Amino acid sequence: MKAVVHVGKLGFDGLTYRDMEMPQPKAGEVRIKLKTTGLNHRDLFVLNRHTPTEPPLIIGSDGAGIIDSIGEGVSNVQVGDEVMINPGLGWKETSDAPPPGFEIVGHPFHGTFAEYVVIPAENVIEKPQYLTWEEAGVLSLAALTAYRVLFTRGRIQPNMKVLIPGIGSGVATFLLQFAKAVGATVIVTSRSQDKCAKALELGADKAIDSNEDWNQALCGEKMDLVIECVGAATFNKSLDQLRTGGTIVTFGASAGDVMQLNLRQFFYGQFNLLGSTMGSAEEYKEMIKFIETHNIKPVIDSMYTLDQFSQAFHRMETATQLGKIGFTIS
Amino acid sequence: MKAVVHVGKLGFDGLTYRDMEMPQPKAGEVRIKLKTTGLNHRDLFVLNRHTPTEPPLIIGSDGAGIIDSIGEGVSNVQVGDEVMINPGLGWKETSDAPPPGFEIVGHPFHGTFAEYVVIPAENVIEKPQYLTWEEAGVLSLAALTAYRVLFTRGRIQPNMKVLIPGIGSGVATFLLQFAKAVGATVIVTSRSQDKCAKALELGADKAIDSNEDWNQALCGEKMDLVIECVGAATFNKSLDQLRTGGTIVTFGASAGDVMQLNLRQFFYGQFNLLGSTMGSAEEYKEMIKFIETHNIKPVIDSMYTLDQFSQAFHRMETATQLGKIGFTIS
């Protein structure tokens, strides 16, 4: 079968589209013939920072497709079922952190940028009917991340004012959609006028230019909740917009890991800074129920074929996209 | 009456022991003839960073004494009552941050480093019998701060492992006493062997040298809760000791306000950083009940007379103390 693999060298030179052996499901596992898959910042991160212990490694975390073969003892699905994948391995109940041994599909184990993937049967759920294959394939990791960030960590409430700096990534668009579905007031920022316009179409109450003085653009109005995934480049601007006693959730740092924090301002403000990443199987199920209830569909930026992987990665690396970038496989 | 006042110049040169006019209680206020008062880091901070709008300003937040005169409409106390002072003005119910207008006795309004103080009647409570005047006078601000940090913010539980870097300040000794009263395992750090020894006497399960490799000293054991009041100098060492999903509460930065934070490590760790300062009247009452239940008395480092203010401030500024520094007034 064909797959996009990380051959062991860091960066784009480490990525190839090539033949890989057809994987076989063991007990408790299923094989899925993938229809679609989604690209995540995590894939970029794996490519640039992680050398697989056993290259070549098929990368990719998201996917949807049809069950094609099942291992011994699998009873929750059968061959022919239309499913999507929860990419979190080994985190069942919601807790303050994943248990030891938690991993994500696509590193260190083979992922979904391939014609077939073998994963534990407990990691598949029935594809909601109202989602297209494209929508189902690009949804999981980003929507799960957004769900934990907003509900478990940020404890969003309908009357809250929420700021999402850097509307563009798949997670950011889910954050916007989820927060609006809850009934919150949502303000987003972007350097791109197009993204600002698109965010307003998606329901944002206000969209401001990232380069503006945010405090001025918001007339001094402070936020109950700020969701930060840009990182060092915007973190202190984000913090400046928080009301005393407010919460900032961080789950990404695409524009810089290390920032300077003024502790005195922080504790005088009685602020809360909460880190988040991924989510549990329990949160995954809650998220699916939530999007079904509110008829939420992923915002799809663009779809490629797997052999066009470098164009897709390039689009993400240059932050050109708004919403999810995906691959059509079959 | 005699008082220690901030004459308007920043730093020690701005502090004088001099005569001030006897204050008169207005409606809803009481005048207390002070027996004792306590020194806080806040006093140092006011001295070094705040120029009073109407100097001379009597500084000082803590105090205990006898009601000497009451304003119109005061019914909760009477002349002759033995009382202590909650120094928080205008923060009644516990909330995620104080309401607008919240202030602390001693700046911008006159404080307790004086023979008499006038404060709102709602800010006095009966002195618990089991506390001496010295103990009652030095307790309020530090014990209230520690209470909110540990209970409201840190949500301490009996099975938790708690790290308190820099055992020395009044708040730190309360944190140790409170956490042990709850049943938690408490580890403290100090650069001083004497303070480490004293902390063990006070019930600490372990006391390690601040200059050591903490991870080594703790054999890699991670903490559920870290209470940080040292600031930039120890913050990242503190963060390194936190288990994934753990909480670090910050309420002080005596050794540096600005630190470098690695956001990626922070969100991968699913950490919680919570700022805290002071507490509400509701928390103050809970704290008094808690210390009465557990028979907790402040650790007193040293008592001075008001005219010895420079010695007392010097002792705090050089971080020589373990526990509270106070003044005997009458």
Side-chain angles (χ1 to χ4, degrees):
Chain A
M1 66 167 189
K2 291 286 186 186
V4 176
V5 300
H6 188 335
V7 294
K9 203 171 158 187
L10 293 185
F12 273 116
D13 294 352
L15 216 55
T16 311
Y17 179 63
R18 50 162 276 186
D19 277 312
M20 288 288 282
E21 207 180 321
M22 174 71 102
Q24 303 301 333
K26 294 197 287 285
E29 293 180 335
V30 297
R31 186 171 66 199
I32 301 166
K33 181 168 166 41
L34 289 157
K35 302 279 287 180
T36 50
T37 176
L39 184 64
N40 289 291
H41 268 103
R42 173 180 155 82
D43 303 311
L44 256 185
F45 195 73
V46 165
L47 189 62
N48 289 326
R49 303 218 201 174
H50 288 289
T51 307
T53 45
E54 290 181 44
L57 174 82
I58 303 169
I59 63 170
S61 303
D62 284 337
I66 296 168
I67 301 278
D68 162 79
S69 169
I70 60 174
E72 245 177 89
V74 171
S75 60
N76 62 322
V77 285
Q78 51 193 25
V79 171
D81 281 0
E82 300 190 345
V83 296
M84 51 194 285
I85 297 170
N86 166 18
L89 300 166
W91 187 2
K92 287 179 187 161
E93 276 88 52
T94 302
S95 54
D96 55 15
F102 169 72
E103 298 289 358
I104 300 173
V105 170
H107 175 82
F109 309 115
H110 283 312
T112 55
F113 290 0
E115 292 179 272
Y116 294 86
V117 67
V118 166
I119 56 157
E122 67 186 21
N123 278 72
V124 302
I125 67 147
E126 197 188 333
K127 177 179 90 66
Q129 289 286 329
Y130 82 104
L131 293 177
T132 65
W133 282 113
E134 285 73 18
E135 288 162 352
V138 301
L139 185 135
S140 291
L141 193 145
L144 174 58
T145 301
Y147 188 85
R148 179 170 170 86
V149 161
L150 216 48
F151 292 87
T152 312
R153 303 295 269 148
R155 296 183 183 188
I156 189 165
Q157 298 294 327
N159 58 348
M160 279 187 175
K161 285 178 205 143
V162 182
L163 176 68
I164 306 169
I167 195 73
S169 71
V171 189
T173 48
F174 283 121
L175 288 167
L176 166 55
Q177 290 172 297
F178 293 2
K180 283 313 300 175
V182 168
T185 301
V186 181
I187 291 140
V188 306
T189 84
S190 177
R191 285 172 300 183
S192 148
Q193 284 200 348
D194 282 355
K195 291 189 190 178
C196 283
K198 179 79 189 182
L200 292 170
E201 275 173 41
L202 286 168
D205 296 277
K206 197 176 255 183
I208 61 179
D209 182 338
S210 303
N211 296 318
E212 273 186 73
D213 179 323
W214 296 3
N215 211 24
Q216 213 162 46
L218 296 171
C219 304
E221 194 181 22
K222 299 292 181 182
M223 302 291 124
D224 300 293
L225 182 59
V226 179
I227 310 293
E228 230 318 314
C229 68
V230 181
T234 58
F235 191 90
N236 276 305
K237 286 180 82 169
S238 290
L239 199 55
D240 275 348
Q241 290 316 120
L242 205 58
R243 71 158 170 84
T244 56
T247 294
I248 180 163
V249 184
T250 173
F251 71 93
S254 47
D257 292 359
V258 179
M259 47 80 62
Q260 291 213 318
L261 181 68
N262 186 313
L263 287 169
R264 190 172 297 277
Q265 282 170 12
F266 192 89
F267 66 73
Y268 278 156
Q270 306 244 7
F271 296 135
N272 307 289
L273 170 61
L274 312 180
S276 190
T277 186
M278 278 290 285
S280 67
E282 189 182 352
E283 287 163 319
Y284 187 78
K285 276 172 203 142
E286 286 169 16
M287 176 275 289
I288 295 292
K289 202 172 154 187
F290 179 80
I291 62 168
E292 283 186 302
T293 303
H294 294 280
N295 199 35
I296 292 170
K297 297 175 166 212
V299 176
I300 294 184
D301 174 78
S302 46
M303 296 296 293
Y304 295 89
T305 51
L306 277 184
D307 59 332
Q308 296 172 315
F309 68 89
S310 68
Q311 288 163 260
F313 272 90
H314 181 72
R315 187 160 175 84
M316 176 168 280
E317 198 161 43
T318 53
T320 322
Q321 88 280 18
L322 183 99
K324 293 297 307 182
I325 297 167
F327 298 99
T328 305
I329 301 174
S330 63
Chain B
M1 65 168 188
K2 291 284 187 189
V4 176
V5 300
H6 188 335
V7 294
K9 200 170 158 188
L10 293 186
F12 272 117
D13 294 353
L15 216 57
T16 311
Y17 180 63
R18 51 162 275 188
D19 278 310
M20 289 287 284
E21 206 181 321
M22 175 70 102
Q24 303 302 332
K26 293 195 286 286
E29 294 181 334
V30 297
R31 186 171 67 199
I32 301 166
K33 180 170 166 38
L34 289 157
K35 302 279 289 182
T36 50
T37 177
L39 185 64
N40 289 291
H41 268 102
R42 174 180 153 84
D43 302 311
L44 256 184
F45 195 75
V46 165
L47 190 60
N48 289 325
R49 302 218 201 173
H50 288 288
T51 307
T53 42
E54 290 181 44
L57 174 83
I58 302 170
I59 63 168
S61 302
D62 285 336
I66 295 165
I67 301 277
D68 161 81
S69 169
I70 61 173
E72 244 178 90
V74 171
S75 58
N76 62 323
V77 285
Q78 51 191 26
V79 172
D81 282 359
E82 300 189 346
V83 297
M84 52 196 285
I85 297 171
N86 166 19
L89 300 167
W91 186 2
K92 288 179 186 163
E93 277 88 52
T94 301
S95 53
D96 55 14
F102 170 72
E103 298 289 356
I104 301 173
V105 170
H107 176 81
F109 308 115
H110 284 310
T112 55
F113 290 181
E115 292 179 274
Y116 295 86
V117 67
V118 166
I119 56 160
E122 65 187 20
N123 278 71
V124 303
I125 67 149
E126 198 187 332
K127 177 178 90 66
Q129 287 287 330
Y130 80 105
L131 294 177
T132 65
W133 282 112
E134 285 74 16
E135 289 162 351
V138 301
L139 184 133
S140 291
L141 192 145
L144 174 57
T145 302
Y147 188 86
R148 179 170 170 87
V149 161
L150 217 48
F151 293 87
T152 311
R153 301 296 270 146
R155 296 181 183 189
I156 190 165
Q157 298 293 328
N159 59 348
M160 279 187 175
K161 287 177 203 144
V162 182
L163 177 67
I164 306 168
I167 193 76
S169 71
V171 188
T173 50
F174 283 121
L175 288 168
L176 166 56
Q177 291 172 296
F178 292 2
K180 285 311 300 174
V182 168
T185 301
V186 181
I187 292 141
V188 305
T189 83
S190 177
R191 285 172 299 185
S192 148
Q193 285 200 347
D194 282 356
K195 290 188 190 178
C196 282
K198 180 77 190 191
L200 291 170
E201 276 173 40
L202 287 168
D205 296 276
K206 196 176 255 183
I208 63 179
D209 183 338
S210 302
N211 296 318
E212 272 187 73
D213 179 324
W214 295 3
N215 211 24
Q216 212 163 45
L218 296 171
C219 305
E221 195 179 23
K222 299 291 179 181
M223 303 290 124
D224 301 293
L225 183 60
V226 178
I227 310 294
E228 230 322 312
C229 67
V230 180
T234 59
F235 191 90
N236 276 304
K237 289 180 80 168
S238 291
L239 199 55
D240 276 348
Q241 291 316 122
L242 204 58
R243 71 157 169 85
T244 56
T247 295
I248 181 163
V249 185
T250 174
F251 70 93
S254 47
D257 291 0
V258 179
M259 48 81 63
Q260 292 214 319
L261 182 69
N262 186 312
L263 287 169
R264 190 171 297 276
Q265 282 169 14
F266 191 88
F267 67 73
Y268 278 157
Q270 306 244 6
F271 296 135
N272 307 289
L273 170 61
L274 313 180
S276 190
T277 186
M278 279 291 284
S280 67
E282 189 182 352
E283 287 164 319
Y284 186 79
K285 277 172 202 142
E286 286 169 15
M287 176 276 289
I288 296 291
K289 201 171 157 189
F290 179 80
I291 61 168
E292 282 185 302
T293 303
H294 295 280
N295 199 35
I296 292 170
K297 296 175 166 211
V299 176
I300 294 183
D301 173 80
S302 47
M303 296 293 295
Y304 296 89
T305 51
L306 278 183
D307 59 334
Q308 295 170 316
F309 68 88
S310 68
Q311 288 162 258
F313 272 89
H314 182 73
R315 189 162 174 84
M316 175 166 282
E317 198 161 42
T318 55
T320 322
Q321 88 280 17
L322 183 98
K324 292 296 307 180
I325 297 167
F327 298 100
T328 305
I329 300 173
S330 63

